[in-house]
């Protein structure tokens, strides 16, 4: 196999190829991976997962936050109650409050709790009484610990790295999918181009043979029926040329619009006729696929997500408890300096409890549903894995067999073309009928179509194997290692 064919060429090389009005399959694939909408979507999908992973990593680190309520002016009538007789009266309130707090928060992944260090200052100006009050908490250490609760961060720590790694490999597979799409579009153009050129040649041959047949008819060696048959074939050839040209234009538009190229009128495609005799071992492909592809990671994520749902259902069932505690200092004074001197201790600790007495089996039902979903996920993963391996093995076997099939198809094409040439010459000498000539032509066209179809399948299967394994079998290197 031509080694240079498989090297992923740079964009500049592709532009150079375009400057020469020729386009090879590797050049088209490089352009599509750079410019196509599918490639752009793949890159954006990866970036979305990348920032999702970055956000998760940030949740594991301490966060610094500042909160404030500034210039909260309040002039209104407020309700007051006399503690001696219980009478309610309304008095005028004319005040402004300002508060600011600074906190450092840290999630404790192993325990599922949250630790916070805060500093708080509050100022109240009561204009009706010409009085100012400060309330300070210079330092406050608090910790909240759910007991028997679902620890989402702990599960995210298991799933998020896998999702990010799976996203990287899915991006590489998407790029390979772009290449496979280009292979299909590229060979569609080659096939349509071959059919169109052959129809032009057939039309020329039919016109030439029709003229000969008219001369032979004047001599009485060709019947009127054969003359009419040839005339009909000339008319059909005209129609076929027009239809094939339209099909060629449509195929070119599909290819170059995928490459996002507007000016492609004079561009000629270079067919990738070189194929390899080297076979790829099925076991090697399976091993590479299990190591490199996103298939295994996606299965692991599916099982982990199902187990996560089960753990959450179990944690939400029954007794719920949460321990809250804080320790620090505070002080209230009429001056800012006084609010930070002679600080008083401040300690709070408490346990909140919630226990559903009877919920009609809702919690139990959710647990059973999660258990069933987990077992179903295991079955789906096992079935998907077997199907994946079987399709991979079939693809490798088809690829290994297609090299010899392509060579046989090329030999069959040579034979069919040679037979058509011989039949055409014999028809010119009056040795065969128009029916024999048509049969030879149809066989040549069928052989040409089969050869291009086998070439398309050959390259399709090669790049499909490369996509599933993320391994360059020509250069013997992992595509995954090139990602960074």
């Amino acid at each position: 196999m031509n080694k240079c064919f498989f090297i992923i060429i740079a964009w500049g090389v592709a532009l150079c190829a375009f400057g020469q009005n020729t386009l090879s399959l590797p050049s088209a694939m490089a352009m599509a991976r750079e410019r196509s909408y599918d490639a752009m979507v793949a890159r954006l999908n990866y970036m979305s997962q990348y920032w999702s992973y970055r956000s998760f990593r940030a949740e594991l680190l301490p966060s610094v936050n500042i909160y404030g309520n500034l210039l909260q002016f309040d002039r209104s009538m407020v309700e007051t109650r006399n503690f001696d007789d219980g009478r309610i009266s309304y008095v005028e309130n004319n005040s402004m409050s300002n508060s600011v707090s600074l906190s450092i928060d840290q999630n404790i992944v192993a325990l599922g709790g949250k630790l916070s260090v805060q500093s708080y200052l509050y100022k109240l100006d009561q204009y009706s009484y010409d009085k100012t009050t400060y309330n300070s908490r210079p330092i406050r250490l608090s910790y909240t610990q759910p007991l028997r609760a679902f620890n989402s961060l702990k599960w995210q720590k298991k799933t998020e790295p896998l999702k990010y790694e799976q996203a990287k490999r899915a991006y590489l597979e998407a790029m390979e999918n772009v290449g496979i799409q280009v292979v299909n579009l590229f060979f569609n153009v080659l096939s349509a181009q071959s059919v169109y050129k052959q129809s032009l040649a057939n039309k020329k041959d039919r016109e030439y043979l029709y003229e000969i047949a008219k001369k032979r008819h004047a001599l009485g060696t060709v019947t009127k029926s054969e003359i009419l048959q040839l005339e009909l074939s000339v008319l059909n050839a005209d129609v076929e040329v027009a239809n094939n040209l339209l099909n060629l234009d449509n195929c070119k538009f599909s290819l170059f619009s995928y490459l996002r190229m507007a000016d492609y009128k004079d561009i000629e495609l270079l067919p990738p006729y070189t194929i390899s005799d080297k076979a790829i071992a099925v076991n090697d492909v399976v091993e590479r696929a299990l190591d490199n592809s996103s298939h295994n990671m996606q299965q692991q994520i599916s099982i982990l997500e199902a187990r996560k749902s089960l753990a959450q259902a179990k944690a939400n069932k029954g007794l719920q408890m949460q321990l809250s505690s804080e320790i620090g200092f505070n002080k209230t004074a009429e001056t800012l300096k006084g609010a930070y001197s002679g600080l008083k201790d401040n300690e709070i600790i408490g346990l909140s409890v919630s226990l559903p007495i009877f919920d009609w089996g809702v919690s139990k039902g959710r647990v059973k549903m999660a258990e069933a979903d987990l077992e179903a996920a295991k079955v789906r993963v096992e079935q998907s894995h077997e199907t994946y391996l079987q399709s991979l093995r079939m693809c490798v076997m088809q690829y290994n067999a297609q090299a010899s099939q392509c060579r046989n198809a090329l030999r069959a094409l040579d034979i069919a073309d040679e037979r058509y040439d011989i039949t055409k010459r014999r028809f010119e000498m009056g040795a065969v009928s128009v029916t024999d000539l048509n049969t030879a032509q149809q066989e040549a066209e069928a052989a040409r179509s089969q050869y291009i179809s086998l070439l398309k399948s050959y390259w399709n299967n090669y790049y499909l194997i490369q996509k599933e394994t993320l391994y360059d079998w020509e250069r013997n290197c992992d595509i995954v290692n090139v990602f960074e």
Side-chain angles (χ1 to χ4, degrees):
M1 186 181 295
N2 185 357
K3 185 173 183 179
C4 293
F5 181 82
F6 288 97
I7 298 176
I8 301 176
I9 59 174
W11 177 239
V13 177
L15 287 176
C16 181
F18 253 51
Q20 298 172 354
N21 291 330
T22 60
L23 180 65
S24 65
L25 181 57
S27 300
M29 294 172 71
M31 288 184 179
R33 288 167 180 162
E34 181 70 23
R35 304 180 60 180
S36 70
Y37 290 114
D38 287 347
M40 294 170 63
V41 169
R43 280 191 286 271
L44 292 173
N45 287 339
Y46 165 71
M47 290 305 299
S48 174
Q49 188 59 47
Y50 168 77
W51 286 110
S52 174
Y53 179 69
R54 284 285 301 271
S55 298
F56 159 72
R57 296 294 302 174
E59 289 186 48
L60 304 181
L61 302 174
S63 62
V64 180
N65 305 286
I66 187 168
Y67 309 95
N69 288 308
L70 305 178
L71 304 177
Q72 302 294 310
F73 180 74
D74 184 359
R75 184 171 185 176
S76 61
M77 301 299 291
V78 296
E79 180 184 288
T80 62
R81 181 183 293 273
N82 190 304
F83 290 102
D84 295 330
D85 56 16
R87 289 184 179 182
I88 296 176
S89 60
Y90 290 88
V91 298
E92 182 181 4
N93 176 47
N94 185 11
S95 65
M96 179 180 289
S97 62
N98 294 273
S99 65
V100 63
S101 65
L102 177 67
S103 70
I104 301 176
D105 306 313
Q106 173 65 62
N107 291 310
I108 310 301
V109 178
L111 301 177
K114 184 176 182 179
L115 178 65
S116 297
V117 180
Q118 297 176 335
S119 181
Y120 171 82
L121 177 63
Y122 174 80
K123 179 186 178 184
L124 175 64
D125 293 303
Q126 294 177 289
Y127 300 121
S128 299
Y129 307 104
D130 194 21
K131 183 178 180 181
T132 300
T133 303
Y134 291 90
N135 181 22
S136 73
R137 295 180 184 177
I139 185 169
R140 172 176 174 263
L141 181 66
S142 66
Y143 182 70
T144 304
Q145 175 61 61
L147 305 176
R148 294 191 70 254
F150 175 68
N151 190 345
S152 63
L153 273 180
K154 184 177 179 180
W155 280 97
Q156 281 184 286
K157 196 172 181 180
K158 296 179 181 179
T159 58
E160 290 301 319
L162 278 178
K163 287 182 179 180
Y164 177 57
E165 187 63 30
Q166 191 265 345
K168 291 197 294 186
R169 301 187 183 195
Y171 166 74
L172 293 173
E173 290 172 354
M175 290 295 103
E176 295 300 320
N177 265 336
V178 169
I180 293 172
Q181 179 70 8
V182 171
V183 169
N184 291 324
L185 296 174
F186 194 90
F187 273 94
N188 287 345
V189 175
L190 287 181
S191 178
Q193 187 173 271
S194 173
V195 171
Y196 173 66
K197 289 181 178 179
Q198 185 61 35
S199 64
L200 287 176
N202 290 340
K203 177 185 175 183
K204 184 177 180 181
D205 285 348
R206 292 300 158 144
E207 291 173 346
Y208 171 69
L209 295 174
Y210 178 59
E211 294 299 324
I212 293 178
K214 286 194 295 185
K215 295 177 181 178
R216 289 174 54 194
H217 176 64
L219 299 175
T221 58
V222 172
T223 65
K224 180 66 174 179
S225 176
E226 290 178 319
I227 286 291
L228 293 176
Q229 188 175 359
L230 277 174
E231 184 179 1
L232 179 61
S233 68
V234 171
L235 296 175
N236 289 336
D238 283 333
V239 174
E240 189 176 10
V241 167
N243 290 336
N244 290 337
L245 178 59
L246 179 62
N247 183 50
L248 176 59
D249 289 340
N250 288 334
C251 291
K252 280 187 174 182
F253 176 79
S254 297
L255 172 62
F256 289 101
S257 63
Y258 191 77
L259 300 179
R260 298 178 65 193
M261 296 295 299
D263 186 12
Y264 56 86
K265 181 179 179 181
D266 299 325
I267 295 175
E268 180 182 355
L269 301 188
L270 301 179
Y273 288 139
T274 305
I275 58 176
S276 173
D277 294 327
K278 178 183 177 182
I280 301 177
V282 174
N283 292 336
D284 291 343
V285 171
V286 171
E287 182 181 353
R288 295 287 183 185
L290 296 180
D291 288 342
N292 294 344
S293 73
S294 64
H295 171 75
N296 259 4
M297 288 193 170
Q298 184 58 55
Q299 291 189 315
Q300 294 177 43
I301 292 171
S302 298
I303 297 297
L304 280 175
E305 291 289 348
R307 288 177 175 167
K308 174 183 174 182
S309 298
L310 177 59
Q312 185 173 11
K314 288 182 176 179
N316 292 336
K317 178 185 176 184
L319 181 65
Q320 303 294 312
M321 296 184 293
Q322 178 170 292
L323 176 66
S324 300
S325 62
E326 67 174 67
I327 184 172
F329 304 93
N330 68 352
K331 182 66 182 295
T332 300
E334 295 183 357
T335 62
L336 180 61
K337 182 178 179 180
Y340 283 92
S341 61
L343 299 174
K344 297 180 179 180
D345 294 343
N346 180 51
E347 297 91 13
I348 300 175
I349 187 169
L351 181 66
S352 60
V353 180
S354 172
L355 178 62
I357 302 301
F358 190 71
D359 65 353
W360 303 93
V362 172
S363 299
K364 182 179 179 180
R366 288 172 179 167
V367 172
K368 292 298 182 182
M369 287 171 56
E371 289 176 346
D373 289 342
L374 175 58
E375 293 303 316
K378 290 179 179 179
V379 173
R380 286 195 299 269
V381 163
E382 183 177 355
Q383 181 183 18
S384 173
H385 187 64
E386 290 299 324
T387 303
Y388 174 78
L389 293 181
Q390 180 63 19
S391 62
L392 195 59
R393 292 189 180 100
M394 288 297 298
C395 181
V396 177
M397 288 188 288
Q398 289 175 357
Y399 169 77
N400 289 335
Q402 278 170 338
S404 61
Q405 291 176 356
C406 287
R407 286 191 292 271
N408 291 338
L410 180 59
R411 176 58 182 155
L413 175 59
D414 292 338
I415 292 173
D417 284 341
E418 185 177 358
R419 180 174 180 272
Y420 175 70
D421 290 338
I422 293 173
T423 304
K424 185 173 69 171
R425 288 195 298 270
R426 293 184 65 194
F427 177 80
E428 293 173 0
M429 294 183 295
V432 296
S433 65
V434 174
T435 302
D436 294 329
L437 182 65
N438 289 337
T439 300
Q441 178 193 347
Q442 292 169 2
E443 289 176 352
E445 292 175 352
R448 183 170 287 99
S449 176
Q450 182 185 36
Y451 176 57
I452 295 178
S453 176
L454 286 172
L455 274 179
K456 177 181 178 180
S457 298
Y458 175 86
W459 292 115
N460 232 326
N461 284 329
Y462 174 82
Y463 285 108
L464 183 59
I465 294 172
Q466 182 167 290
K467 172 212 164 187
E468 295 297 340
T469 59
L470 293 181
Y471 186 81
D472 190 328
W473 293 93
E474 178 62 22
R475 294 189 293 168
N476 296 321
C477 65
D478 285 321
I479 299 176
V480 177
N481 295 335
V482 187
F483 177 83
E484 299 299 340

